[in-house]
Amino acid sequence: MTKSTIVIPNYNGINYIQACLESLYSGTAKDLEIVVVDNASTDGSMELVRDQFPKVRLIVNEKNMGFSHAVNQGIRVSATPYVILLNNDTRADFSFVHELEKVMDNDTHKKLFSASAKLVSLYDRDKTDDAGDFYCALGWAFARGKGKPPSRYDKDCEIFASCAGAAIYRRELLEETKVGLFDEEHFAYFEDIDIGYRAKIYGYRNKFAANSIVYHAGSAASGSRYNTFKTKLASRNSVYLIYKNMPVLQIVLNLPLLVMGFLIKTVFFARKGMGREYVSGLVRGIRLSASPCGRRHKLYFDRHRMKNYVSIQFELWRNLFRLFA
């Protein structure tokens, strides 16, 4: 029985998509169900998938709908117990799928929402790209282990959220009556932190699966680690994420640290010549949060989940020490 559907969003991934799919088909998992959602690529990568990988289910969008919309399309056509999201600029280790499924299968109480693979730099395999994501009271999300030796991260552990570039999700919890799908207002960036945060509010957990490995090129779609497109969108989404998931009292409690976090980031991006773009993104985030669409997506406070809110708040403080450690 096939346990997982692998969903790969693709946008102009001609340099990566073939190696990505070949690595999956050469792995230990057999009878793979793979869905590639193409966001109006113009580089021939969609045609490559169609012609060279006939077993892959291909969904083609007429325009770039963003990461969140693309993965939601793939999730909606899946029928397996799990859904694995995978970036197109990755190469999967031979046991990547099996190890993710094993972590989920071992959760007999089904309280595990997601599990994140270990992302190792494709071009420097002595460096970790992501060993699970954390979120802290400064309003910053950060990748655990970034730039450090992968051998340091050889044990499974609890994380704040899974990096959607290589992660498995329990499909039944992605239904709208439960945790729900990815918020398409994000378009890209912070959408995985948002859904992991939401799952924690509902009382579910996220985990790092140390033995599931992928090799990741990074920034294949946006072009670089820091660019104006990413800066504007990420800063907008960082504000929206806070509005969506924090009750008003929690926002007030964290406000001094949040303001400090935004000020530090403003200075950081100003030094890179993108300060205006960063601040513009913050303003757009406030506008999105205040809009009817933003208010519709807000997760309003539920006193029955008070224990979860308190647990998350302590985690936000604890992750400050993780960040600076």
Side-chain angles (χ1 to χ4, degrees):
M1 170 185 158
T2 303
K3 292 182 181 179
S4 301
T5 300
I6 303 172
V7 177
I8 304 173
N10 178 63
Y11 176 67
N12 289 341
I14 191 68
N15 295 326
Y16 303 101
I17 190 68
Q18 181 171 349
C20 176
L21 291 169
E22 287 175 348
S23 70
L24 290 169
Y25 281 117
S26 62
T28 56
K30 305 303 177 185
D31 300 320
L32 291 175
E33 291 191 19
I34 300 177
V35 180
V36 171
V37 184
D38 187 81
N39 265 331
S41 294
T42 57
D43 64 347
S45 53
M46 182 271 290
E47 290 81 5
L48 183 151
V49 173
R50 183 191 61 203
D51 297 339
Q52 297 191 28
F53 298 94
K55 292 182 180 180
V56 170
R57 179 168 183 172
L58 183 62
I59 298 174
V60 179
N61 291 322
E62 294 184 358
K63 64 178 182 178
N64 187 353
M65 303 297 293
F67 179 91
S68 299
H69 183 88
V71 298
N72 283 348
Q73 287 178 285
I75 292 167
R76 286 190 180 101
V77 301
S78 67
T80 49
Y82 307 130
V83 175
I84 294 175
L85 304 186
L86 187 64
N87 278 6
N88 62 353
D89 61 338
T90 58
R91 295 179 191 175
D93 185 68
F94 72 101
S95 61
F96 161 70
V97 173
H98 172 72
E99 293 294 341
L100 284 179
E101 291 175 343
K102 185 166 70 171
V103 169
M104 300 298 283
D105 288 344
N106 288 340
D107 176 44
T108 55
H109 298 293
K110 294 188 176 182
K111 296 300 287 183
L112 193 60
F113 173 64
S114 71
S116 186
K118 183 194 297 184
L119 284 79
V120 177
S121 173
L122 179 64
Y123 302 118
D124 186 350
R125 299 196 177 187
D126 292 327
K127 291 183 179 179
T128 302
D129 191 49
D130 193 302
D133 287 344
F134 286 124
Y135 184 69
C136 71
L138 288 169
W140 297 358
F142 58 98
R144 174 173 173 259
K146 186 82 171 178
K148 297 178 181 178
S151 57
R152 282 193 184 187
Y153 307 97
D154 59 355
K155 289 183 173 60
D156 295 0
C157 66
E158 298 288 320
I159 54 177
F160 190 88
S162 294
C163 171
I168 189 169
Y169 296 84
R170 198 176 298 278
R171 190 184 61 82
E172 64 176 328
L173 297 180
L174 293 167
E175 295 173 1
E176 291 184 9
T177 55
K178 298 181 180 177
V179 176
L181 293 167
F182 285 79
D183 184 347
E184 296 181 12
E185 291 302 318
H186 282 92
F187 190 85
Y189 307 118
F190 281 89
E191 74 291 321
D192 46 6
I193 301 294
D194 172 63
I195 202 169
Y197 197 142
R198 202 184 326 148
K200 292 175 79 69
I201 292 172
Y202 279 92
Y204 296 102
R205 299 162 33 242
N206 303 293
K207 198 168 186 178
F208 169 62
N211 293 323
S212 178
I213 300 170
V214 298
Y215 302 97
H216 182 221
S219 302
S222 62
S224 63
R225 185 175 180 184
Y226 300 114
N227 56 70
T228 56
F229 170 78
K230 182 176 180 179
T231 298
K232 283 183 180 180
L233 200 52
S235 64
R236 185 199 74 151
N237 291 348
S238 65
V239 174
Y240 180 50
L241 172 73
I242 293 165
Y243 165 78
K244 273 193 64 182
N245 295 292
M246 285 190 189
V248 173
L249 287 178
Q250 191 177 19
I251 293 176
V252 172
L253 175 65
N254 288 301
L255 193 59
L257 285 170
L258 292 173
V259 170
M260 184 187 302
F262 288 130
L263 286 175
I264 293 171
K265 289 271 187 171
T266 300
V267 172
F268 174 83
F269 283 104
R271 289 179 174 175
K272 291 187 172 294
M274 291 182 284
R276 182 177 295 179
E277 287 78 10
Y278 180 76
V279 173
S280 171
L282 296 180
V283 173
R284 290 171 61 203
I286 294 170
R287 289 174 178 168
L288 172 59
S289 301
S291 70
C293 183
R295 293 197 300 272
R296 187 171 66 249
H297 285 96
K298 182 170 175 61
L299 195 62
Y300 287 98
F301 176 74
D302 184 343
R303 61 184 178 84
H304 298 102
R305 301 193 181 105
M306 177 61 76
K307 181 180 177 182
N308 299 337
Y309 287 114
V310 172
S311 175
I312 289 169
Q313 182 57 50
F314 276 103
E315 189 170 357
L316 297 181
W317 284 331
R318 190 164 58 247
N319 288 343
L320 282 172
F321 294 97
R322 287 192 173 111
L323 172 63
F324 293 109

